[in-house]
Amino acid sequence: MELTTSRRGRRRGALVVMLTVALGVIAACAQPTEVAVERSRDLGDLPRPTETTTETSTDPSTDHSTDPTNGTTPPTGTSTDPTTPGSDPTVPPSTAPGADVFEEGPDKAEREYDDMVEATVADLENSWATFYPEFYGEPYEPLEGGVWPVYPDRSDRVPGCGTSETSYRDILAFAAFYCPLGDFIAYDDGDEGIFGQLIEDLGPSIVPVVIAHEWGHAIQARNGTFDSGQPTIVTEQQADCFSGAWTARARAGDVPGIEFTDTEVQAGMAALIAVRDPIDTSASTPGAHGSGFDRVGAFQAGYLNGTGRCTELIDSPLPLVPNEFSELNADPADRNPDAPFEDSSPDIKDGIFTIVAADLNTYWPLVFESTETPFPVLVVEAAPDPANVGCADLESVEESAGYCQADGTVYYDESFMRELYDQFGDFGVGYVLGTAWSDAAQDLLESPFSDEPRSLLNDCLTGSWVRTILPDENDETSPTATARIEPGDLDEAVQTTLLIGDANADEDIAGTAFEKIDNFRDGALNGLEACSERIPD
């Protein structure tokens, strides 16, 4: 995050390590049309962004609603509890075991996820036999080439994709892929690659989620999507959506042999964040998959709305957020997306707290300028004792920030904010601060909410602020903005929700990461009205 040029408790240790360390060695990118993949390789080897003749809109204002500082379009939808996922057509019981498609080979070591893979493959074959005629108007053709685990000691030949065979070294570069040439899926079943690391960190449930994504590419091969000239990012967004729709069925108990809880759903989202595109990758770059914000959004679209919604995403792609540095950062030396944690000096006010507070103190007073009670200019201050703030209406800000109405101050837990900054970047801090200003807005709006509903509305309201500082397709922000979202900032906010969200939907304190991301995206893409309309008159 940076100034605009005119103005310039709980820790999930393995998750934190995975989201910070693994990102140093992963880049998700796609190959030419011969193979659709989740590929891992060193970030330094990624090609620099190139322009193509076809480009997907990166304007997040596509679905914007009324806002005091932007244009007007109708609001879309409201948030949904992830325990009540979108519905798909009823799938009859499977008549074909997954073992008929699962090509495990003679030397395969037993893995804790083997039964899940077999159950997933069986369900995907069976469910798509129902869904495909429903949505595409023709019979479904079963996966002809099978699903192949690839491991170092495999003695039989795994089919190649444009080559004679797929070696274990090949799969290390890809993690998992679908190949239209042989109509097969292959995945890394060894211990050496990043896929194994993600399984260790996030759990075995990510394997079925990845296979459901790759199956989505098999569906695209059947319906002609690969021959339609679509940018890679459009086909990858749809595959993420298909994966989310399948995950919703698993969470609802509709996949025989699979038992998913909120933990498995959040692990799937974390895996998508881990294989997001590197910063400064254009949406038009061949092989682009999208930012973490975009990938999780596509997954949620499928989860909340079902497979039918996913089928619409080729003709009507989801809006994407910018992931490239603008011309304002033409010099690579200026492409540091993080503001300093603290101001550089008393005369140089460039720290993340100063930047965020200044813009929030511009945005919210404008929102309330025509009301009887103006929005106060808030002060931001580290709490000497986060566990005991000493404010009548704010007892603790441990691992958070909070608004004290009595003295007009936003207090924060400095050690927690420092950890967010060091682990993820500056906008983890910015997002948490934003929710405190949103809480002050709820006070003025006389919101009746508390606990989880209030927290989720804070996420939406914070998103509505973000929308005004998020560059549009013309690389412009709101005329009143004093700050600017940089590539990677929204991913940092998404990662932060995985740390501060409720572990499951039954806690009902702050909302799960799924719920928080969904609400944050609603505000960021649909604007203030999408949030404020939830407050009863």
Side-chain angles (χ1 to χ4, degrees):
M1 190 175 193
E2 67 172 10
L3 290 168
T4 55
T5 54
S6 61
R7 299 172 180 86
R8 288 300 285 171
R10 282 191 310 263
R11 295 295 184 274
R12 298 174 176 89
L15 182 60
V16 175
V17 172
M18 185 282 299
L19 288 173
T20 54
V21 176
L23 286 171
V25 294
I26 296 180
C29 66
Q31 293 300 295
T33 56
E34 287 80 8
V35 57
V37 306
E38 293 299 318
R39 182 174 183 179
S40 62
R41 67 183 189 188
D42 188 83
L43 299 185
D45 293 335
L46 269 177
R48 289 296 86 196
T50 57
E51 297 298 323
T52 62
T53 56
T54 303
E55 179 154 1
T56 302
S57 171
T58 58
D59 181 6
S61 64
T62 303
D63 291 329
H64 285 170
S65 63
T66 302
D67 185 280
T69 51
N70 276 309
T72 302
T73 58
T76 61
T78 57
S79 300
T80 304
D81 189 320
T83 59
T84 55
S87 60
D88 274 326
T90 301
V91 177
S94 175
T95 57
D100 289 351
V101 183
F102 188 44
E103 305 285 352
E104 66 177 18
D107 315 298
K108 183 177 172 358
E110 185 175 335
R111 301 286 182 185
E112 61 178 327
Y113 50 78
D114 286 345
D115 289 345
M116 282 198 296
V117 171
E118 196 165 315
T120 300
V121 169
D123 180 74
L124 287 165
E125 282 280 51
N126 189 51
S127 60
W128 275 111
T130 297
F131 298 159
Y132 197 88
E134 175 83 14
F135 297 122
Y136 293 109
E138 58 186 23
Y140 170 72
E141 297 179 6
L143 192 71
E144 184 177 347
V147 177
W148 297 75
V150 186
Y151 43 90
D153 299 327
R154 184 157 190 158
S155 58
D156 61 333
R157 174 182 164 276
V158 178
C161 195
T163 59
S164 60
E165 64 180 301
T166 297
S167 67
Y168 184 62
R169 183 170 183 176
D170 292 333
I171 202 66
L172 282 176
F174 289 88
F177 68 82
Y178 166 75
C179 180
L181 295 180
D183 194 32
F184 71 92
I185 292 169
Y187 68 92
D188 181 1
D189 192 52
D191 297 319
E192 301 176 22
I194 192 61
F195 201 32
Q197 180 182 333
L198 290 175
I199 293 167
E200 181 179 351
D201 290 338
L202 296 175
S205 63
I206 69 166
V207 181
V209 174
V210 168
I211 290 175
H213 172 104
E214 299 304 338
W215 213 284
H217 291 310
I219 298 305
Q220 293 165 348
R222 281 153 174 72
N223 62 34
T225 297
F226 283 159
D227 299 324
S228 65
Q230 293 289 341
T232 308
I233 198 166
V234 173
T235 59
E236 294 299 338
Q237 286 265 286
Q238 187 185 54
D240 285 339
C241 185
F242 283 142
S243 180
W246 179 86
T247 300
R249 293 184 58 250
R251 176 66 180 84
D254 294 335
V255 179
I258 299 290
E259 295 183 4
F260 270 18
T261 67
D262 295 333
T263 299
E264 283 74 35
V265 174
Q266 292 183 69
M269 294 193 303
L272 290 175
I273 296 168
V275 292
R276 71 186 192 250
D277 283 344
I279 290 174
D280 212 19
T281 301
S282 169
S284 62
T285 299
H289 283 51
S291 67
F293 183 85
D294 291 331
R295 298 204 68 178
V296 169
F299 179 90
Q300 290 187 319
Y303 190 102
L304 294 172
N305 301 293
T307 303
R309 175 70 180 102
C310 305
T311 64
E312 302 168 354
L313 299 189
I314 299 301
D315 293 331
S316 300
L318 294 170
L320 303 172
V321 298
N323 197 34
E324 295 176 274
F325 286 105
S326 71
E327 293 181 0
L328 297 175
N329 306 102
D331 186 345
D334 294 333
R335 295 182 176 183
N336 178 9
D338 287 333
F341 186 74
E342 300 174 337
D343 291 338
S344 296
S345 74
D347 297 325
I348 303 177
K349 304 292 188 179
D350 59 352
I352 185 61
F353 293 92
T354 300
I355 292 173
V356 168
D359 198 80
L360 287 165
N361 279 331
T362 299
Y363 173 72
W364 283 113
L366 284 174
V367 170
F368 283 87
E369 67 178 347
S370 61
T371 64
E372 292 182 3
T373 306
F375 193 95
V377 174
L378 304 183
V379 177
V380 61
E381 182 179 320
D385 181 3
N388 185 15
V389 176
C391 173
D393 52 336
L394 182 66
E395 180 179 344
S396 169
V397 291
E398 282 189 293
E399 299 190 354
S400 66
Y403 165 58
C404 175
Q405 187 178 35
D407 62 9
T409 300
V410 169
Y411 291 99
Y412 63 90
D413 182 337
E414 185 170 19
S415 63
F416 175 66
M417 292 295 213
R418 183 81 226 191
E419 183 175 350
L420 286 181
Y421 182 91
D422 292 341
Q423 296 280 6
F424 301 141
D426 63 358
F427 204 68
V429 173
Y431 157 74
V432 173
L433 288 178
T435 62
W437 261 262
S438 297
D439 204 53
Q442 287 206 58
D443 280 351
L444 287 182
L445 291 168
E446 298 183 349
S447 167
F449 301 131
S450 60
D451 298 325
E452 181 185 278
R454 188 177 185 95
S455 177
L456 294 179
L457 183 54
N458 281 342
D459 292 321
C460 186
L461 292 170
T462 301
S464 77
W465 159 63
V466 164
R467 178 192 158 197
T468 66
I469 58 174
L470 183 62
D472 62 17
E473 61 184 358
N474 298 315
D475 200 31
E476 297 178 350
T477 60
S478 165
T480 61
T482 63
R484 178 186 180 92
I485 289 290
E486 290 289 281
D489 281 344
L490 299 187
D491 293 353
E492 293 162 12
V494 168
Q495 291 174 81
T496 300
T497 68
L498 291 166
L499 294 183
I500 66 176
D502 295 341
N504 61 72
D506 294 332
E507 289 188 15
D508 295 332
I509 299 172
T512 64
F514 189 106
E515 294 168 304
K516 296 182 81 63
I517 295 167
D518 183 41
N519 281 268
F520 179 67
R521 283 181 55 87
D522 195 18
L525 298 180
N526 299 319
L528 181 62
E529 186 174 325
C531 312
S532 59
E533 65 184 6
R534 303 181 195 177
I535 301 176
D537 295 333

